[in-house]
Amino acid sequence: MAVREIRTLGEDCLRKTCKEVKEINERIITLVDDMFDTMYEANGVGLAAPQIGILKRIVVIDTDGNPYVLINPKILEVSGEQRGYEGCLSVPGKSGIVTRPNYAKVEATNLDGETYILEGEGLLARAICHECDHLDGVIYVDKVEGEVLDNQLLEEMMAEEE
Ligand code: NI
């Protein structure tokens, strides 16, 4: 178990297409453990392997106290729409408005090598879409509406609105 270094916007590893995982071995299990440690340490709700420099199709998500491991995830279905602020551990201290599906259904492999289906709405759907994008080198700033803002500025704006 270890916290790994989170790569930030501008680093090449975040812009690559990641490779499928062919075999779930000890190295993959350790990698997933480290991904959870790294995500929780940074107070994130999702992390993709390329964010720690590993170009493999692996995502971890925990939006609601339920940790999910998605190996070789494939989005099967999306529907609806949600528009809201989104951030990314690879773009620290910033947020921007991104429109995402409000529902997502994804097929993935777990650490036991079993295929399973994860369905999510709201924040979980947003996290599924955001993290799967990372596996193809896509970052939320590519999809942002308007500007990416400093969280501090955003908090001040929101305080003024109240
Ligand atoms: Ni991200």
Side-chain angles (χ1 to χ4, degrees):
M1 304 271 275
V3 171
R4 302 213 195 173
E5 184 195 346
I6 296 178
R7 306 307 182 90
T8 54
L9 194 62
E11 295 195 60
D12 282 351
C13 58
L14 293 175
R15 292 304 193 177
K16 306 280 188 195
T17 299
C18 296
K19 293 205 168 70
E20 295 256 325
V21 175
K22 299 225 170 73
E23 184 202 0
I24 292 159
N25 52 29
E26 282 303 316
R27 286 186 64 184
I28 297 292
I29 291 167
T30 301
L31 171 62
V32 167
D33 267 354
D34 290 356
M35 285 174 67
F36 275 116
D37 286 350
T38 305
M39 179 184 78
Y40 289 132
E41 159 87 7
N43 293 314
V45 297
L47 188 79
Q51 292 183 271
I52 54 167
I54 306 290
L55 299 180
K56 293 184 188 302
R57 302 190 80 82
I58 305 176
V59 158
V60 297
I61 291 175
D62 184 347
T63 56
D64 57 4
N66 295 303
Y68 298 110
V69 178
L70 294 95
I71 297 169
N72 302 330
K74 284 185 189 69
I75 293 179
L76 300 179
E77 199 182 320
V78 293
S79 65
E81 205 175 87
Q82 57 175 318
R83 183 174 172 274
Y85 281 99
E86 188 167 314
C88 177
L89 295 178
S90 293
V91 191
K94 293 182 188 292
S95 303
I97 293 176
V98 183
T99 298
R100 296 279 188 188
N102 195 51
Y103 165 86
K105 180 179 181 180
V106 64
E107 182 185 85
T109 301
N110 66 19
L111 281 178
D112 295 320
E114 299 158 347
T115 301
Y116 74 105
I117 300 276
L118 175 64
E119 287 179 286
E121 288 185 353
L123 182 59
L124 181 54
R126 182 179 287 279
I128 290 168
C129 296
H130 175 119
E131 299 310 331
C132 287
D133 271 356
H134 272 300
L135 305 180
D136 293 314
V138 176
I139 303 176
Y140 87 90
V141 296
D142 304 339
K143 298 181 167 181
V144 79
E145 186 182 314
E147 285 176 69
V148 174
L149 299 174
D150 276 345
N151 285 343
Q152 202 177 342
L153 182 66
L154 195 61
E155 277 172 30
E156 286 167 17
M157 281 166 53
M158 289 192 169
E160 275 172 28
E161 276 172 28
E162 278 166 9

